[in-house]
Amino acid sequence: MSDFPASIATLAETIDDVIQQLTAIVDWSKQNNSRIGYFAALYRKVTIQVKKGIEQNFFDDGPRMERLDVIFANRYIHACYQYQTGQSPTRSWICAFDQTERWWPIVLQHLLLGMNAHINLDLGIAAAETVPAEELSGLKGDFDKINQVLASLVGDVQDELAQIWPLLGLMNRYLGNVQTAIINFSMEKARDAAWSFAETLSPLPAAQRQQAIGNKDEAIAAFSRVISHPGWVGALVNKIVRLGERGTTRQRIEILE
C-alpha cells in the first residue's frame, strides 16, 4: 500500500479541516482498495450534514457544535493515522481496523465496528472535553439534535447497502419502515449511553478520567468481537451476504460516498 497521507498527522482545527482529512482517508482507501474507506465515507457524509446544520442555525450554539464535531472527529482520524503508521490506538479501534484487513466481514459489519468504537467510546470522551463540567448539561440539547441528523441519513445508507447487496433492496421494500425504526432506535440508545459516559467522565480529574476511559475501551473492544463473530447462525447469514456483495472495494466506497 502507498504511504498514508501525511496531512492526517495534524489534528483538525475546523470542521472544514475534518472534511478535508476524511476526504484524504477516503481517497487513499480507494487508491489502495482498503476497507477503511467504508466507515470514512459514511463519516464524511455525516460531517457534511452537521456542517450544513451549523450553517443553517439548526443547533443552539454553532461554534460549540463545531468544537464538539472537531474533537470527536480527531479521535477517529488520529486513531486511523496511528493504526496505519504502526502505533497503537484504542483497543476498540484496533478491533475495527483489524477487520478491514480480512475478506469475510460484510460492509455492514465494517460500518457497525466503526460506529461501535466511535459512538460507544469516542463520543462520550469528546462531549466531556468540549465544555467544562459545569456547562455539560447545556450541551445536551444540541447533542440530541445529532440524532435527527443521523436519522435523516438512514434511508440513504440502506439504499446504498442495497446497491452492494441487491437482496437487501427487497428487504428494504417490505421491511423498510421496520428496519429504519430499529436502526434509529439503536442509534439513539448508543448516543444515550455515550451521554451517560460523558456525564461520568466530565467531573473526574485527569488520572481517574484516563482510568475510566481505559475500562470503557476494554468493554467496547469486547463488544466489537460480538459484531465480528455473531455466532454460527449470524456467521452463516453474513457469509451468504458477503458472497452476494457486488463490486470491488473501491466501487463500494464510491457507493457509500
Side-chain angles (χ1 to χ4, degrees):
M1 288 190 179
S2 63
D3 291 339
F4 204 63
S7 61
I8 305 302
T10 304
L11 293 179
E13 296 182 1
T14 68
I15 197 166
D16 285 328
D17 291 343
V18 169
I19 293 169
Q20 288 176 2
Q21 293 192 348
L22 291 174
T23 298
I25 294 173
V26 170
D27 289 346
W28 175 89
S29 298
K30 289 191 292 188
Q31 291 167 7
N32 291 279
N33 290 309
S34 171
R35 299 175 189 91
I36 281 176
Y38 296 157
F39 181 75
L42 175 62
Y43 193 16
R44 183 176 63 178
K45 186 182 301 184
V46 171
T47 304
I48 290 170
Q49 288 301 114
V50 171
K51 181 187 177 184
K52 289 179 181 177
I54 293 171
E55 292 172 343
Q56 296 167 2
N57 298 315
F58 175 69
F59 300 104
D60 296 331
D61 188 330
R64 183 182 61 189
M65 177 50 65
E66 179 167 7
R67 189 162 66 251
L68 171 59
D69 185 276
V70 171
I71 293 171
F72 184 38
N74 274 331
R75 290 196 61 85
Y76 163 68
I77 293 167
H78 188 57
C80 202
Y81 180 79
Q82 286 179 309
Y83 187 83
Q84 290 298 321
T85 55
Q87 303 174 63
S88 296
T90 56
R91 292 195 58 175
S92 303
W93 275 118
I94 290 174
C95 291
F97 292 141
D98 278 352
Q99 290 301 312
T100 66
E101 299 178 3
R102 298 184 171 94
W103 191 88
W104 275 108
I106 64 175
V107 173
L108 180 58
Q109 279 177 295
H110 290 297
L111 297 181
L112 291 175
L113 285 163
M115 288 187 283
N116 177 56
H118 206 37
I119 295 175
N120 290 336
L121 179 68
D122 290 344
L123 183 55
I125 299 170
E129 291 180 354
T130 298
V131 293
E134 64 272 14
E135 296 178 19
L136 183 65
S137 61
L139 179 62
K140 185 67 161 62
D142 278 347
F143 185 93
D144 288 342
K145 285 185 178 180
I146 292 290
N147 288 336
Q148 298 177 45
V149 175
L150 295 173
S152 70
L153 295 172
V154 168
D156 288 344
V157 174
Q158 284 184 318
D159 291 342
E160 289 158 3
L161 289 174
Q163 292 181 53
I164 296 169
W165 185 51
L167 198 56
L168 183 62
L170 291 175
M171 296 174 65
N172 286 344
R173 179 180 302 176
Y174 295 106
L175 299 174
N177 291 336
V178 175
Q179 287 181 322
T180 300
I182 292 171
I183 292 169
N184 286 343
F185 176 78
S186 299
M187 186 69 70
E188 190 169 340
K189 284 292 185 183
R191 292 186 65 82
D192 285 347
W195 181 257
S196 295
F197 186 42
E199 290 181 316
T200 298
L201 292 178
S202 190
L204 296 179
Q208 291 183 29
R209 182 180 289 196
Q210 285 306 119
Q211 181 63 47
I213 290 172
N215 293 340
K216 186 75 167 181
D217 185 31
E218 290 289 335
I220 300 308
F223 185 67
S224 71
R225 287 187 278 275
V226 176
I227 298 172
S228 300
H229 307 286
W232 73 269
V233 175
L236 178 61
V237 171
N238 285 343
K239 281 182 168 55
I240 293 171
V241 173
R242 182 67 184 91
L243 292 171
E245 286 183 334
R246 289 180 173 176
T248 63
T249 299
R250 181 188 183 111
Q251 289 169 334
R252 294 179 199 133
I253 294 170
E254 289 172 344
I255 289 171
L256 291 168
E257 287 186 274

